[in-house]
Amino acid sequence: MHRPRLALALAGGGFLGAAYELGALAALDESVVGLELAALDIYVGVSAGAFLAAGLANGLSPHAMVRLFIESEDADIPFDPATLLRPAWTELGERIGQVPTILTGLIEEARRGLRSGGTGQAAWRMLSRAASILPTGLVDAEPAEIKLAQLFSRPGFSNHFDQLRACLRIVATDLDRGEAVAFGGHGLHEVPISRAVRASSAVPGLFAPVRIQGKWFVDGALNKTLHASIALHEGADLVLCINPLVPYSAGEDTLPSPIAQRGMGAVLSQSVRTAIRSRMTVGLEKYRSTHPDADVVLFEPRRDDALTFLTRIFSVSSRRGLCEHAYQQTRQDLLARAQTLGPLLARHGLKLNLARLTDPSRRLLHPGPPRPAPRGALARTLRRLDHTLDDLQQALNRRP
């Protein structure tokens, strides 16, 4: 009898997207009987989703990652995003060193423009030259890569694609060719997972391109939002997809002010979300004809979800609030779609736990501020024991 191959495809979305996806993953993991998200067959991650896909493929459960990345209960490897990023001083220094040469070129362009009378064209050439002083990235993500490599170097984990039990694909974009590349695939399995995750998350303009095997790579979301097709090509029968970024759409009175009046950040966010969602819709429709025997299920925020749109992710309380919000929203989504999801999941040996979905007391995070991490060897041992018992309870909850 054919055992269904289960896959997970995670889109990007920065720190906000990662917090949302963690909440949604935790809800799925405990609400679908027979589903163990840390033991699937195939994982595909893009940008922030690459970070989580790598953790899941290494056997970290969603609840364990919530403790590590949201609650920050592991004092040995803190993963606060605000502390893992630093200004790209090396890149900025190199650009500053080019200032004398660029100034000389600007002066020469100005002289040519005055002599020829083409001041308009000269101004555009001067602007083009001046733009070359801008760095290719403002933030250095190397500390985050180092922390991830440290995590995956622990016993029971691996920073190498070919040492994982599951199939893991981390998608980035080859900057010089403009094409998507799946690290972990043929010819690209020797790249460290932590390096591939950094490349996949290198948002142009914010992070500098990442050099791997003599080539430069940036954010994998430039070509596709989810890259669920990779999981389908690897033989997945069911692909669960999570996209945390959707364009905001609600009544005029829902937001305190129109998006156009909330600054460049809000305008860019809405624009990116609109492009991502439109492109993803086309891809999902295509899978129905290219892989008619497979099922693809998408989970994402509602379009009128103002909390997700307005969250400021560098605040610890905001990250915790968004993660809990995603957890509750995904539980509501599962319950609302129970009639259609039930038969679909049954084809793959899964079913919804309706009793758990209708339990109003269930929460993902402890209410109030995160608990301080206990110190000392005994405290760390007790904390690990507590986490082990929690993981055991989650495993028992998944049993029919």
Side-chain angles (χ1 to χ4, degrees), residues 330-341:
T330 304
R331 293 178 68 242
Q332 293 177 18
D333 186 22
L334 286 168
L335 191 58
R337 298 161 64 184
Q339 289 189 347
T340 56
L341 284 178

Side-chain angles (χ1 to χ4, degrees), residues 359-381:
D359 182 358
S361 66
R362 298 191 72 87
R363 289 185 59 87
L364 175 61
L365 302 173
H366 299 286
R371 297 172 296 182
R375 299 179 180 274
L378 178 59
R380 286 194 294 271
T381 300

Side-chain angles (χ1 to χ4, degrees), residues 35 62 82-84 107 130 140 162 165 194 215 220 230 258 300:
L35 178 68
T83 64
L84 291 180
I107 294 171
D140 183 6
D162 54 3
R165 176 200 59 79
S194 56
K215 298 179 180 180
I230 294 177
E300 59 184 2

Side-chain angles (χ1 to χ4, degrees), residues 106-146:
L106 289 175
I107 294 171
E108 183 60 32
E109 286 289 355
R111 287 176 176 172
R112 276 201 293 254
L114 291 173
R115 286 196 299 266
S116 64
T119 55
Q121 294 182 357
W124 282 110
R125 288 196 297 267
M126 291 173 64
L127 184 61
S128 177
R129 280 181 176 269
S132 64
I133 199 175
L134 297 175
T136 57
L138 300 174
V139 180
D140 183 6
E142 184 179 8
E145 178 187 347
I146 293 173

